[in-house]
Amino acid sequence: MSMLKNIFGKKSEAIKSNADFWNWFEKNEKDFYNAVNRGTNIEKDFFDKLSPQLESLKEGYFFLTGMLNEQTAELVLTADGNIKNIVFVEELVNAAPKLPNWKFTALKPATDIKNVSIKMGDYTFGSDNLFFYSNDDKEYPDKIDITVVHLDCNEENKPIITNGTYIFLDNYLGELHFTENIDIIDVIGKDEANKELVPIEKLQDFLIWRQKEFVEKYEGVRHNTENDGYSSLEATLSSGLPLIAVINSTLFEWDAKPSHPWIVTVKIGYNGEDNNGFPDNETFQLLNEIEDDFLMKELKDSEGYLNLGRETAENLREIYFACKDFRKPSKVLEEIKNKFTSQVEIEYEIYKDKYWQSFNRYMN
């Protein structure tokens, strides 16, 4: 499997859905198969045709391709670490037709450690020069904090060593496993290590064990926010403009935060220049409609999506959720973006924060 390819090129007007894409692919699959099988002119005969069609569906799709065996070509579609796109890649592959000479795979799969070796410039990444150890914190016992040691790492080459190590782990562990099961990674050289080094080939088993413990500990944990208490906070920013926040104070005292490790931040931009950075009445009603009639109705606490609160200041409303899963929020937010794109600017981010430390300003 080789050649990770960023999607670029002119967007095709013809491809509007996953079904459209696969209909187009199926019509051309024999030519694409021959291009992959030959291994020559693959850029011109396959990549340059595939890229714009995928981009017309959604920006941020990547792919790898190669011969799985003598008769079968494999196309791996990947989000390349972008959590927001994982569910859309999975749905696209789930919609793929059954073609006799093709295998379609969602996200980079795990690879046998014996078959994983990465080379970047003058550096290699593999089981011969990569080790790890776990950093345990009694205050945050469920956080998976890993230090990876590369024998050739030093201050001068740390950026390229770190990048190569991430690529290695992505291929060794598999894209989804890597995304879901490691909270923090630090890459260092041998001289900086302060614990016994564990061979990198044992990392996968270690993560499976830690995840099993985590699931058993928090399986079935839910929180009903109906009777929660809320606090209103006011502050003045360095710009001199005011900030108002409303937070669920009960949730921030909850002792089962790691059960909802995915943080979703929804950012809605508006024009508040004439109102001290706050929305006018019409915009205020629209912001409340988006939050109450769409976000709250789709992301329910009973299903594992907890509304932590919101901030409003400097032409921006931010709404926060802690979630058990990242897939549904991605889909809901894309739908909301498309619905209100002509009225307000909506962006969102999803990241893992098991102990909600990014909200320490509310918890202290």
Side-chain angles (χ1 to χ4, degrees), residues 13 21 25 73 78 164 172 183 190 194 233 244 302 306 340 344:
E13 294 296 325
F21 171 78
F25 189 96
T78 164
Y172 164 45
D183 299 312
K190 186 177 181 180
N194 55 29
L233 305 174
I244 294 179
S302 61
L306 306 179
F340 292 97
V344 287

Side-chain angles (χ1 to χ4, degrees), residues 297-328:
K297 284 188 177 180
E298 292 294 330
L299 301 178
K300 301 175 182 178
D301 57 4
S302 61
E303 296 176 0
Y305 309 102
L306 306 179
N307 181 214
L308 300 178
R310 66 172 184 253
E311 278 187 6
T312 307
E314 293 188 308
N315 310 309
L316 186 69
R317 164 73 61 85
E318 294 190 9
I319 306 167
Y320 310 114
F321 284 83
C323 307
K324 292 185 72 71
D325 174 67
F326 56 82
R327 289 176 175 84
K328 184 173 182 178

